[in-house]
């Protein structure tokens, strides 16, 4: 297939792509990009991802960026059912929760991840607890909505698992590994749902890659 | 078939849906929700079958289906009525549409929205425009526009030589940019302006 993914597995956006590749059983090569040294802003990488971010994705002569777009491409190519594109209503609800994942869940989690992981581990600094607290509050408001949803349905888009659920796992992985993992204890359905996603073989495999990368 | 109902006031997110609904030729009616009076956070609106649990607009009702998130609504409208705006069925082309749909959300709008908020929403909430926020985001926006300029120098539209939802999704926020003092930021990027 000639698939290459550029970026560190520890990046939530890279991990999102890797899990889809694992879900469809595709063969791929993970090419490291040394972000602490600024490799992602150099011309070679900019040719792959013009915004100087990770992941970049190559399949043959096609270059893609933006993890959620790459994820969809992989799932479509692999004939996966995780997008439900055969069904107009179902695919619409998957899309809604994918947007929610980006706009509500990950947008609150990214600053927390940056403060609790990137700053201490990569930059050798101290987290700004004010930023963490503000975003934990945002996260909790989002989790209330998720809890209500997951009290009614097994998964976000309905009774079937979809990309919308799996797209959460990289940020959930960091939440569980942070000092704030107990934030989800107040949301039993969310907690159970996260555990369900984390039990998927594809997710387990990528979590291992993420741990190796950040070690 | 009953027309779809779009709930919202004319913000750029609601307008994003309107552009898609119009392009797709869908029959729809707009049901105004007054953000100023907090109607979007009222139990009635929140209860529309968990329509808008985050209390935002827009929200769409099509028969028994309730959707929110402007980009999900726009996609649904296209998928239902005008699939060629998404190029689903063509693996490579749909991937390019998706890439630029994501770029619009995460790069373009993430820089543009704070600017629009400071000029257009902040005054309504009784505050004053925070120029520091505007400056920071204008810098981000310019960097993003450089990438767009490079892209649109090579291709007529974002996803290739065909117009797609990726292009349309930019219309609403860009139109609101013209209502701010910073419309001229586009002048440096002729292909983007065209």
């Amino acid at each position: 297939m000639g698939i290459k993914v550029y970026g560190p597995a520890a990046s939530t956006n890279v991990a999102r792509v890797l899990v889809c590749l694992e879900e469809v059983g595709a063969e791929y090569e993970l090419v490291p990009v040394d972000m602490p040294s600024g490799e992602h802003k150099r011309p070679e990488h900019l040719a792959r991802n013009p915004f100087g971010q990770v992941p970049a994705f190559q399949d043959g002569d096609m270059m893609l960026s933006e993890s959620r777009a790459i994820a969809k491409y992989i799932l479509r190519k692999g004939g996966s059912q995780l997008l439900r594109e055969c069904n107009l209503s179902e695919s619409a609800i998957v899309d809604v929760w994918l947007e929610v994942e980006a706009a509500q869940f990950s947008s609150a989690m990214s600053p927390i991840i940056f403060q609790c992981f990137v700053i201490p581990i990569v930059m050798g600094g101290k987290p700004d607890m004010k930023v963490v607290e503000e975003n934990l509050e945002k996260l909790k408001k989002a989790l209330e909505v998720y809890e209500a949803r997951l009290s009614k349905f097994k998964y976000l888009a309905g009774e079937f698992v979809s990309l919308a659920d799996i797209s959460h796992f990289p940020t959930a992985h960091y939440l569980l590994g942070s000092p704030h993992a107990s934030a989800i204890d107040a949301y039993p359905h969310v907690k159970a749902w996260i555990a369900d996603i984390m039990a998927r073989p594809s997710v387990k495999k990528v979590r291992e890659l993420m741990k190796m990368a950040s070690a | 078939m009953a027309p779809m109902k779009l709930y919202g006031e004319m913000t750029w997110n609601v307008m994003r849906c309107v552009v898609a609904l119009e392009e797709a030729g869908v029959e729809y009616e707009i049901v105004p929700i007054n953000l100023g009076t907090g109607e979007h956070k009222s139990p009635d609106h929140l209860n529309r079958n968990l329509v808008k649990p985050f209390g935002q607009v827009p929200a769409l009702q099509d028969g028994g289906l309730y959707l929110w998130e402007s980009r999900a609504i726009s996609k649904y409208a296209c998928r239902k009525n005008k699939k060629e705006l998404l190029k689903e069925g063509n693996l490579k082309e749909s991937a390019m549409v998706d890439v630029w749909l994501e770029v619009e959300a995460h790069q373009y709008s993430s820089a543009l929205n704070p600017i629009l908020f400071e000029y257009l929403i902040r005054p309504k909430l009784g505050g004053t425009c925070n120029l520091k926020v505007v400056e920071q985001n204008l810098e981000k926006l310019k960097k993003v526009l450089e990438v767009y300029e490079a892209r649109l120098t090579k291709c007529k539209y974002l996803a290739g030589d065909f117009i797609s939802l990726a292009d349309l999704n930019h219309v609403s926020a860009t139109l609101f940019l013209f209502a701010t003092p910073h419309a001229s930021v586009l002048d440096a990027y002729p292909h983007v302006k065209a």
Side-chain angles (χ1 to χ4, degrees):
Chain A
M1 242 191 199
I3 289 183
K4 289 187 183 172
V5 181
Y6 298 85
S11 149
T12 51
N13 294 320
V14 175
R16 183 173 292 112
V17 169
L18 297 179
V19 79
C20 291
L21 288 164
E22 291 292 335
E23 283 284 330
V24 301
E27 271 187 39
Y28 62 94
E29 183 190 338
L30 181 60
V31 181
V33 173
D34 185 6
M35 290 173 81
S37 76
E39 189 183 340
H40 55 308
K41 302 284 181 196
R42 291 204 270 275
E44 209 188 327
H45 188 78
L46 288 173
R48 300 175 200 129
N49 182 323
F51 294 99
Q53 291 168 330
V54 287
F57 175 89
Q58 184 176 6
D59 185 7
D61 58 1
M62 193 172 67
M63 266 303 181
L64 298 176
S65 59
E66 300 300 326
S67 65
R68 292 169 191 85
I70 299 168
K72 283 181 200 171
Y73 169 79
I74 294 166
L75 293 176
R76 261 176 213 144
K77 191 174 182 183
S80 163
Q81 280 306 302
L82 291 170
L83 294 173
R84 301 307 247 227
E85 277 171 352
C86 44
N87 182 310
L88 194 58
S89 312
E90 288 182 353
S91 60
I93 309 278
V94 173
D95 277 338
V96 167
W97 285 96
L98 269 168
E99 292 293 321
V100 170
E101 180 265 309
Q104 315 284 352
F105 190 83
S106 290
S107 67
M109 276 304 303
S110 291
I112 299 174
I113 294 174
F114 191 78
Q115 296 297 327
C116 297
F117 291 92
V118 180
I119 286 188
I121 298 175
V122 178
M123 297 174 166
K126 282 201 176 133
D128 181 342
M129 289 317 293
K130 192 160 164 262
V131 170
V132 174
E133 286 306 324
E134 271 172 13
N135 285 284
L136 275 174
E137 282 314 303
K138 281 189 202 172
L139 183 68
K140 284 177 189 170
K141 288 205 159 54
L143 289 178
E144 279 168 23
V145 179
Y146 277 64
E147 181 67 17
R149 177 71 181 179
L150 295 164
S151 305
K152 286 196 188 177
F153 298 99
K154 188 163 188 211
Y155 296 103
L156 290 173
E159 293 304 316
F160 53 90
V161 73
S162 71
L163 179 62
D165 308 283
I166 297 176
S167 198
H168 286 78
F169 104 83
T171 21
H173 166 87
Y174 280 106
L175 178 60
L176 294 177
S178 77
H180 307 285
S182 58
I184 58 167
D185 289 344
Y187 311 96
H189 290 88
V190 174
K191 200 172 176 184
W193 163 75
I194 290 179
D196 185 294
I197 298 170
M198 296 307 195
R200 293 180 77 83
S202 61
V203 174
K204 281 186 184 171
K205 178 149 185 216
V206 180
R207 289 185 82 190
E208 281 310 308
L209 292 173
M210 289 169 86
K211 287 179 194 160
M212 278 160 48
S214 45
Chain B
M1 202 193 300
M4 297 190 199
K5 286 188 183 169
L6 181 68
Y7 295 89
E9 204 183 56
M10 267 310 161
T11 62
W12 50 92
N13 286 329
V14 175
M15 216 176 160
R16 182 175 291 118
C17 302
V18 172
V19 171
L21 289 165
E22 285 289 330
E23 274 294 326
V26 173
E27 262 191 56
Y28 68 97
E29 62 179 275
I30 296 183
V31 179
I33 297 265
N34 194 326
L35 288 176
T37 61
E39 192 182 339
H40 60 306
K41 304 241 186 237
S42 74
D44 215 20
H45 189 62
L46 289 173
N47 274 343
R48 285 192 179 98
N49 278 39
L50 279 186
V51 156
K52 219 22 200 155
F54 293 97
Q56 290 159 304
V57 285
L60 181 85
Q61 178 188 357
D62 184 13
L65 182 66
Y66 290 93
L67 301 175
W68 71 96
E69 294 298 334
S70 65
R71 294 174 186 85
I73 293 171
S74 303
K75 250 182 227 177
Y76 173 74
C78 291
R79 221 173 251 151
K80 193 172 186 187
N81 263 42
K82 204 167 182 184
K83 292 195 179 137
E84 55 265 36
L85 287 172
L86 295 173
K87 296 299 204 194
E88 270 167 20
N90 182 313
L91 202 54
K92 279 192 179 175
E93 290 180 346
S94 61
M96 293 318 297
V97 174
D98 275 339
V99 167
W100 287 95
L101 279 169
E102 293 291 316
V103 167
E104 181 271 314
H106 300 298
Q107 318 282 356
Y108 187 78
S109 288
S110 68
L112 186 51
N113 283 359
I115 300 171
L116 296 179
F117 187 86
E118 290 302 323
Y119 279 106
L120 302 170
I121 307 280
R122 180 78 73 192
K124 286 190 191 175
L125 299 173
T128 44
C129 177
N130 182 330
L131 287 173
K132 193 158 163 255
V133 167
V134 171
E135 280 312 314
Q136 278 172 355
N137 285 286
L138 273 174
E139 283 315 302
K140 280 192 204 172
L141 185 63
K142 284 177 189 169
K143 290 204 157 59
V144 171
L145 287 173
E146 278 168 25
V147 178
Y148 274 61
E149 183 66 16
R151 175 68 181 175
L152 294 165
T153 306
K154 283 191 205 172
C155 303
K156 190 164 187 210
Y157 296 103
L158 289 172
D161 289 317
F162 51 90
I163 195 169
S164 71
L165 184 62
D167 308 283
L168 297 175
N169 268 3
H170 288 76
V171 170
S172 58
T174 313
L175 282 177
F176 279 87
L177 173 64
F178 293 149
T180 73
H182 298 283
S184 58
V185 72
L186 293 181
D187 291 344
Y189 310 97
H191 288 87
V192 174
K193 203 170 175 188

